[in-house]
Amino acid sequence: MLKVKIDRSKPILVEAIDENLDIQHGSSASICFRIADLGCSIGPNTFTSVKNLIEAIKQKHQIEGQTTRIPEFQVFFNDHVDNDFNALFTNFPPDRPNFAAGVPGSFHSRLFPKACLNFVDSANALHWLSHAFNKGRIYYTNEHKEVGEAYSKR
C-alpha cells in the first residue's frame, strides 16, 4: 500500500524539484547533495523514495544542461534508536546511487547541524503521526480536529 502511495507521489516530487530546486546557486549547486530520509524504517519503501528523489534531481540537472555538474549524493537514513540499521544496510540495493549513513533518534528533535542538508523527506513517516493521534486508526476520511492540527504542525 505504501509503495503505491510512493509511486503516485512521484510526479508531484518531480514537479516540485523541477520548479523549486535552484541548481545554479546556493547549496544545491555543490558537488555533494545531502538528503535526509526521516523515519526510514528498514523496508524497501525508503529505497524507492530516495531513488525517486535522486532521479528527479538528476533530471533537473539534465533539463538545465548541467550534466557535467551532477552532484554525488549522500543520504542520511533516520529512525528511532531501536530501528535495525544493520537490516537496513544489508538490504541496500547493490546499484544504489548514493553514499549512506544511519542517524538514530527522533526526528521531533534536532538531528543535524544548521544548513547542512539540501533536502529532507519524511513522507514515509507521516502515517505514524496519524497512528499516534488517531488512536490506532492509521487512515480514514473523518479524522478528529486534533489530527488535522497535528498534520499541519509537522
Side-chain angles (χ1 to χ4, degrees), residues 33-37 50 53-54 57 73-77 98 112 116-121:
F33 196 94
R34 291 173 190 87
I35 301 166
D37 182 356
V50 168
L53 178 59
I54 290 173
I57 295 165
F73 296 92
Q74 183 176 20
V75 181
F76 299 97
F77 293 95
N98 59 66
F112 301 97
C116 75
L117 299 173
N118 300 94
F119 192 92
V120 178
D121 178 29

Side-chain angles (χ1 to χ4, degrees), residues 23 26-34 61 69-72 118:
I23 62 171
S27 62
S28 298
S30 67
I31 61 170
C32 182
F33 196 94
R34 291 173 190 87
H61 278 78
R69 292 186 57 211
I70 294 175
E72 293 184 295
N118 300 94

Side-chain angles (χ1 to χ4, degrees), residues 53-64:
L53 178 59
I54 290 173
E55 286 175 359
I57 295 165
K58 286 181 176 181
Q59 179 179 325
K60 172 71 173 185
H61 278 78
Q62 292 169 348
I63 289 169
E64 301 260 334

Side-chain angles (χ1 to χ4, degrees), residues 14 30 44 82 97-98 106 115-116 123 144 151:
V14 170
S30 67
D82 58 350
N98 59 66
S106 171
C116 75
H144 296 285
Y151 276 108

